[in-house]
Amino acid sequence: MPPPADLYATIHHIPSLENAKPEDLRRIIKTFPVIDNHAHNLFVEQYASIQAEYPFELITSEAVGVALIEDSPSSLAHIRAVEQLSELLHCRPTMSDVKEARDTEVGRSYDAFIKRCLKGTHAILMDDGLSAPPGYVQPLKKHEKFVPHIYRIVRIEKIAEEILVASIDWTGMSTAEDILVPQLTTRDGTTAYCVEPTQQERFLSTFKQKFRQAISEFADDPQVRGFKSVICYRTGLDIEPTIEPLLLQDAWHRFLRTILSKPVSRIKFKEINDELVRIVCEVLSARAEENPDDKLPFQFHSGLGDTDINLLKSNPAHMQPLIEAYPQVNFVLLHSAYPYTRDAGYLAAHYPNAYLDIGEIFPILSMDGQESVLRQALELVPHCKILWSTDGRYYPETYWLANKQFRQVLEKVVMGDPNIWKGAASVQQGIDAVVNIFFWNSNKLYKLEEEKRYPELLRACGRGAVIQGTTSFGESQTSQLIPSSPSSSELASAEAIRDLGIWDEFHKKHPNIKYVWVQFLDYTATMRQRIVPVAQYREHIRKRSSPMVPLAVKGLLQNDSLSPGASATGQFLLISDLSTLAPNYGINSPSATVQTWWGRDFDPEETAISPILQGCPRWTLFRQVNRLKEQFDIDILMGFEVEIVFMKPILNEAKNDFIRLEPLNMVHSWCNMTTQQLDTLPMIEEIVDTLNEAGIPLSQFHAESAPGQWEFPLPCYPPLKAVDTLYRARDIIRNIAKKHGLRATLYPRPFNNACGTASHAHISINGPGAAAPANEDAFLAGMLKHLPSILAFSLPIEESYARVVPGIWSGGVYVAWGTQNKEVPLRKCGKGHWEFKTVDGIGNMYLSMSALLAAGYNGLKKNLPLREKDCVVDASLIGAEERAELGITMMLPDTLDKSLDALKRDTELKRRLGPVVESYVEVKTVEMKKLRALGGLEDEKRRVWLMSRY
């Protein structure tokens, strides 16, 4: 069901994240909705007035008795809360007035009061295991009338206790004596019992089986988004990852003796509580192994609590062995772990499966205390690992106070003087941090996929709208995704109006544009387009529609023949990425280009946003970038060196086809300016001037080594924008060359006696996650491990392998890396910065860079060791023993057949990239056969056919 049209009418929208101002950041802090990742049930109306069993003072303290009633009112936290509640309730700032006014509000309209208190909360992940007498609190589902979404967090100890209560039924025993044997008769004539060993083992085994089954069933429930343990209250966080079976059995024996004398309330035996946690971790790990995208988080109470807690054992530092033992389980350390925030921060910063919840200190601490804790969290923890929660419970005011105070303190920390950035970050980064903590981190971790139902929230924070069927939440540094399917909802209409603004602003700036080339790059790296008149294009935006193309495009070859697996039925949408709108330059055409996402076809009656089609090259790259950011807080920058050979086309008599292409000039050398090169200079300068006019400024340019060859190094950008810019730049170079009667070709090696033509890619890892040396090494190790498979994308035709030879500075023939070494495929240019040399301009660069980033991600995910050492020589000129000492043991594939075989065998890379690999391999295999039918590698017909297309 689509959300109400006015649900987020008051939140601040940022039209352009890149141009955001401090006031945008301030308003985002004040208005952006939150996902409350840990809270509890509210009282039903009957018990909503203040009761003696649940004193109202609990809103700011977990003390009990005298410490709560008489002492806590003099705390700074309490005084501040009363002041703020008086504003909410429009009464005098005294506790008695606040109590009277809130009970009046409850009596007037309890539901309306709850809605006021929960305003700004988008979703609550509710632990409904907090103890309360039967009928006192509202069932979980009842809370859905107050916020858009409620999800369940299952408290594992409560499940265990419920199973134990029903123990007589599931053991098949009619009485407690069935598991006991008489031991002795006491002096008063009563009989003492002990647990019979075989029954004890049966009891333990059955209990564990039932508990494991219950956890598995809860994990399958779509309403359940995670689990929680309060072992901190029971026996502490010093949980043993393993236990000797005899120790567990002994503890079980002692536990059974206690429960026979009184009803089960709490399990107070460490060995049993530890075992419950281990069972949950095992279930969650098994699910993650089966499906890496199906991880349910495991929350742990840590730090703050009432006097039941052992304060020393509430330090999450005790959990380090457990976190290490279960790397597939995402652990959430609740309640800011106060007063152990820095300890928890260390775990969240250093373990990819540990997260820090920044809740409960609001409103338990004073404002200065809250600010101190928040600063402690942010001093070490990447903001992508911090989650927000209120720990709201019983009284709706607990939610209201927590959210109000958190926004106040966050604004002070992020924007005050001094603020956490110390001038080292932009407003854009501040907005990213705020909305991540408020919303997107929980959305991602708990797999809520709220971006599908509420794309407006992505647009509000400048990230664009993500299409249904994806799990990523947007890439703030790149483009805005535009949902395409027509919708009857007012939300879709609002989005259309916003997108119309982007288009209208562009068209106002370029009023002569009459046509829009809606572009998409297929697997053969052929740039195809549907050309749409501007009036119709504007209607597409207004109606939320998109041009369609046959699904067979996924199997289309350069000559429009199809691979065997291509489907004759079906179609997909070309969903415009309006951030890529740009006029055409270098040709006499009143037109513009726009890049697209491939969207699934839709049912016109549906109101849901259409999902992205699996195999979309741009989306494949987009996902790799997001994974690195979300899981490792690593930002990627890329830049390309465009190498072009300008040649003279010789036409046939009919002037309708090339018969050969000849060198533009032969008196030519690297970085030289011969007389023949001077003849070319006006065209080269026109290219550079036009690129600059198109918003693609070059820092320098120069003649390359081969006849008629020039290099144009492009600026660096985030990956998607970098590749989009690469194709725009190539089109401009092509267009201007054509004006001068020349053909600009990317053919890998036009002259056997000269260096080849590449599209060297510079890649750097940046951000907090890149600062750790181990991450840099693991990223590089991943790229090296998967390099043979990556070449199937980056050297995509048989001609490409004419560059896999030593001595021409094209990356050499071995899997290796080296500092400023041009005879290795990965040249290290600086810290976290490499040049990828074994890549040419023929392939689909979205897929090539996707493969490279997926390989680096895999290295990080598996923490791969860097076995290859820095190679500063041409590895082909040293002996096998010397290469072995450097860790150089593998040669690069020297044919397309070999690299495709490597890709087909590379299960890890295929899993990271998804279904696109299968389609791509099929297309390249058929393409290879088509090219071989044209002749051998030296055949002029085949050579001209390729040069005329690339």
Side-chain angles (χ1 to χ4, degrees), residues 171 173 175-183 192-205 249-250 252-257 260:
T171 58
M173 302 168 190
T175 65
E177 282 75 10
D178 285 340
I179 60 171
L180 302 177
V181 294
Q183 184 68 15
Y193 291 87
C194 71
V195 182
E196 202 277 329
T198 57
Q199 292 285 53
Q200 168 194 321
E201 293 170 10
R202 175 189 171 194
F203 203 174
L204 175 58
S205 174
Q249 288 175 14
D250 177 68
W252 185 253
H253 175 84
R254 289 183 281 117
F255 171 61
L256 288 182
R257 291 176 62 85
L260 292 171

Side-chain angles (χ1 to χ4, degrees), residues 489-604:
S489 72
E490 294 182 44
L491 176 67
S493 299
E495 284 294 301
I497 292 170
R498 192 171 307 283
D499 296 338
L500 274 176
I502 296 173
W503 163 255
D504 289 343
E505 184 179 349
F506 172 82
H507 201 204
K508 182 178 180 181
K509 186 176 179 180
H510 306 283
N512 295 328
I513 299 293
K514 295 181 179 179
Y515 308 101
V516 179
W517 297 11
V518 182
Q519 296 188 320
F520 58 104
L521 194 72
D522 69 17
Y523 294 160
T524 69
T526 301
M527 186 66 78
R528 301 178 184 272
Q529 43 261 316
R530 286 291 179 88
I531 302 177
V532 183
V534 293
Q536 183 59 39
Y537 187 75
R538 191 178 189 278
E539 280 297 287
H540 276 310
I541 298 173
R542 188 181 69 82
K543 293 180 178 180
R544 315 300 293 146
S545 62
S546 297
M548 298 181 186
V549 293
L551 198 60
V553 163
K554 294 176 70 175
L556 198 61
L557 300 183
Q558 296 93 329
N559 63 352
D560 297 342
S561 61
L562 296 175
S563 62
S567 172
T569 60
Q571 57 190 3
F572 65 87
L573 309 171
L574 297 178
I575 304 169
S576 291
D577 179 348
L578 293 182
S579 72
T580 66
L581 274 169
N584 267 316
Y585 289 89
I587 56 174
N588 185 22
S589 169
S591 58
T593 62
V594 66
Q595 286 296 332
T596 58
W597 311 98
W598 298 1
R600 291 188 187 277
D601 195 4
F602 59 89
D603 180 349

Side-chain angles (χ1 to χ4, degrees), residues 517 584 587 729-739 742-744:
W517 297 11
N584 267 316
I587 56 174
R730 285 183 184 169
D731 283 351
I732 289 169
I733 295 169
R734 174 203 64 189
N735 295 342
I736 293 176
K738 185 180 182 302
K739 280 175 57 179
L742 300 176
R743 172 64 183 156

Side-chain angles (χ1 to χ4, degrees), residues 62 232 237 300-306 309-316 333-345 356-362 364-366 368-374 376-377:
E62 294 223 35
C232 183
L237 294 177
F300 281 79
H301 182 110
S302 62
L304 273 169
D306 59 36
I309 213 163
N310 181 323
L311 185 59
L312 294 178
K313 288 190 175 184
S314 71
N315 187 340
L333 309 176
L334 294 172
H335 309 322
S336 310
Y338 182 82
Y340 304 111
T341 306
R342 284 194 169 105
D343 300 62
L356 177 61
D357 162 72
I358 198 72
E360 196 177 7
I361 60 168
F362 306 88
I364 298 292
L365 299 188
S366 70
D368 285 345
Q370 293 166 351
E371 181 182 345
S372 174
V373 171
L374 189 53
Q376 286 178 34

Side-chain angles (χ1 to χ4, degrees), residues 604 635 856 858 948:
D635 298 303
N858 199 54
S948 66

Side-chain angles (χ1 to χ4, degrees), residues 514-804:
K514 295 181 179 179
Y515 308 101
V516 179
W517 297 11
V518 182
Q519 296 188 320
F520 58 104
L521 194 72
D522 69 17
Y523 294 160
T524 69
T526 301
M527 186 66 78
R528 301 178 184 272
Q529 43 261 316
R530 286 291 179 88
I531 302 177
V532 183
V534 293
Q536 183 59 39
Y537 187 75
R538 191 178 189 278
E539 280 297 287
H540 276 310
I541 298 173
R542 188 181 69 82
K543 293 180 178 180
R544 315 300 293 146
S545 62
S546 297
M548 298 181 186
V549 293
L551 198 60
V553 163
K554 294 176 70 175
L556 198 61
L557 300 183
Q558 296 93 329
N559 63 352
D560 297 342
S561 61
L562 296 175
S563 62
S567 172
T569 60
Q571 57 190 3
F572 65 87
L573 309 171
L574 297 178
I575 304 169
S576 291
D577 179 348
L578 293 182
S579 72
T580 66
L581 274 169
N584 267 316
Y585 289 89
I587 56 174
N588 185 22
S589 169
S591 58
T593 62
V594 66
Q595 286 296 332
T596 58
W597 311 98
W598 298 1
R600 291 188 187 277
D601 195 4
F602 59 89
D603 180 349
E605 298 302 318
E606 290 182 356
T607 59
I609 303 302
S610 292
I612 286 290
L613 182 70
Q614 289 291 324
C616 171
R618 295 183 80 241
W619 187 253
T620 304
L621 177 58
F622 183 84
R623 289 178 63 236
Q624 310 312 317
V625 174
N626 269 5
R627 281 176 176 166
L628 288 164
K629 178 63 175 176
E630 295 167 10
Q631 297 187 31
F632 297 99
D633 206 10
I634 286 177
D635 298 303
I636 302 293
L637 288 176
M638 280 184 181
F640 296 94
E641 299 173 1
V642 179
E643 292 181 354
I644 295 286
V645 173
F646 296 99
M647 304 192 75
K648 297 177 181 177
I650 307 300
L651 300 176
N652 60 12
E653 289 185 7
K655 306 295 184 185
N656 60 8
D657 198 5
F658 299 144
I659 57 174
R660 68 179 182 276
L661 290 105
E662 297 180 345
L664 174 61
N665 49 52
M666 295 302 294
V667 184
H668 180 108
S669 61
W670 178 78
C671 282
N672 198 353
M673 194 59 71
T674 67
T675 55
Q676 289 189 2
Q677 286 170 289
L678 282 171
D679 292 338
T680 312
L681 187 59
M683 180 189 70
I684 300 299
E685 291 176 341
E686 182 181 350
I687 288 171
V688 174
D689 290 344
T690 307
L691 288 170
N692 187 63
E693 182 185 353
I696 310 174
L698 304 189
S699 59
Q700 52 96 14
F701 57 100
H702 64 91
E704 262 294 351
S705 182
Q709 187 182 47
W710 286 77
E711 179 178 304
F712 306 92
L714 302 180
C716 66
Y717 297 112
L720 202 58
K721 183 175 180 180
V723 180
D724 290 341
T725 302
L726 171 67
Y727 285 108
R728 283 187 62 214
R730 285 183 184 169
D731 283 351
I732 289 169
I733 295 169
R734 174 203 64 189
N735 295 342
I736 293 176
K738 185 180 182 302
K739 280 175 57 179
H740 291 264
L742 300 176
R743 172 64 183 156
T745 182
L746 302 164
Y747 189 83
R749 200 172 179 190
F751 312 103
N752 292 334
N753 61 347
C755 293
T757 298
S759 189
H760 298 158
H762 285 259
I763 174 173
S764 65
I765 58 174
N766 308 276
N775 281 355
E776 181 180 342
D777 287 350
F779 192 90
L780 176 57
M783 291 192 292
L784 291 168
K785 176 182 178 180
H786 297 285
L787 201 53
S789 305
I790 295 170
L791 263 58
F793 295 102
S794 64
L795 300 180
I797 60 175
E798 290 180 293
E799 282 78 358
S800 300
Y801 294 82
R803 293 181 56 250
V804 185

